[in-house]
Amino acid sequence: MSRDTPRATSYTTGDLARLTGNTLRTVRYYEELGLLTPERREGGAHRHFTAQDVDRLRAITDLRAI
């Protein structure tokens, strides 16, 4: 993990948004495009992502800025 990502077993959509400086809608949009895939869903609604997804979203955000 890079950029001092706090170590957790999983991250919610909100965690992903906060850690990467994106909005919830942006995270959901990238999920719709297939760029992010939740590790698991809890209760059918709560998505859980991995630390690799945090890094992936940071890379996507950096590439978008270029």
Side-chain angles (χ1 to χ4, degrees):
M1 285 184 293
S2 61
R3 299 187 198 182
D4 300 322
T5 302
R7 294 192 181 264
T9 56
S10 68
Y11 301 90
T12 64
T13 305
D15 293 335
L16 228 61
R18 277 188 295 281
L19 289 168
T20 62
N22 286 291
T23 64
L24 288 172
R25 178 65 194 124
T26 299
V27 175
R28 290 184 194 121
Y29 176 69
Y30 289 139
E31 183 184 355
E32 289 171 14
L33 291 177
L35 297 173
L36 296 171
T37 304
E39 171 184 48
R40 63 181 160 73
R41 286 182 183 245
E42 185 177 286
H46 298 281
R47 298 164 178 90
H48 293 271
F49 297 89
T50 65
Q52 289 174 329
D53 293 315
V54 174
D55 290 339
R56 176 176 286 172
L57 184 54
R58 283 185 174 143
I60 292 167
T61 303
D62 290 346
L63 289 170
R64 184 181 68 197
I66 292 176

